[in-house]
Amino acid sequence: MHEIGVVRAVVSTVTDFAEKNDIDRIESIVLQIGELSLIVPGYVTEIYPMVVRETLLEDTKLEIEIVPGMAECNDCDEIYNLIEYEGVCPECGSRSKTVLSGREFIIKELRVPEQE
């Protein structure tokens, strides 16, 4: 399960960012995970509480947005979901494509409490 290493990297990146920017509390982290990224969102959600235990992020909520695996057909320019159509263009049946999205693994957003 490589997700544990990925979550550790997120924790390290966010913690470093928080320290450099004098942030002492983060309410939530928003991750974008692509359908084609080979990272299983359910595993990330499951192991997150264990990885953040006794860190700055211990009480942080994790939010995951799934980015669809989209492609453009190189033969007819149709844009389609790779998972739904199993890599075959639904318009012309071609397998020649350019992947447009779905490989992402991005820390999209950190939400911090509003300062009073």
Side-chain angles (χ1 to χ4, degrees):
M1 179 187 316
H2 65 281
E3 284 80 3
I4 195 160
V6 171
V7 173
R8 283 183 177 148
V10 167
V11 170
S12 177
T13 299
V14 171
T15 301
D16 289 348
F17 177 83
E19 288 173 359
K20 289 177 184 172
N21 291 280
D22 295 321
I23 298 170
D24 59 359
R25 185 163 179 266
I26 297 172
E27 290 180 344
S28 62
I29 298 173
V30 181
L31 300 179
Q32 286 187 329
I33 301 176
E35 287 181 322
L36 309 175
S37 69
L38 303 177
I39 297 172
V40 180
Y43 292 166
V44 171
T45 301
E46 184 179 322
I47 64 172
Y48 182 79
M50 292 176 274
V51 174
V52 299
R53 190 175 297 134
E54 297 181 15
T55 72
L56 167 70
L57 306 178
E58 186 167 20
D59 297 321
T60 302
K61 179 181 176 192
L62 178 65
E63 298 177 31
I64 295 177
E65 298 176 354
I66 306 300
V67 180
M70 302 299 290
E72 181 177 13
C73 177
N74 292 337
D75 294 324
C76 74
D77 299 325
E78 178 75 10
I79 294 176
Y80 62 97
N81 184 293
L82 283 163
I83 303 293
E84 182 179 348
Y85 293 101
E86 299 177 354
V88 178
C89 175
E91 187 66 28
C92 72
S94 174
R95 291 187 176 275
S96 178
K97 61 194 160 284
T98 301
V99 176
L100 303 174
S101 67
R103 294 180 175 151
E104 297 85 350
F105 184 84
I106 299 169
I107 301 170
K108 177 185 175 189
E109 187 175 345
L110 302 177
R111 296 188 183 128
V112 297
E114 294 205 20
Q115 296 181 354
E116 297 177 15

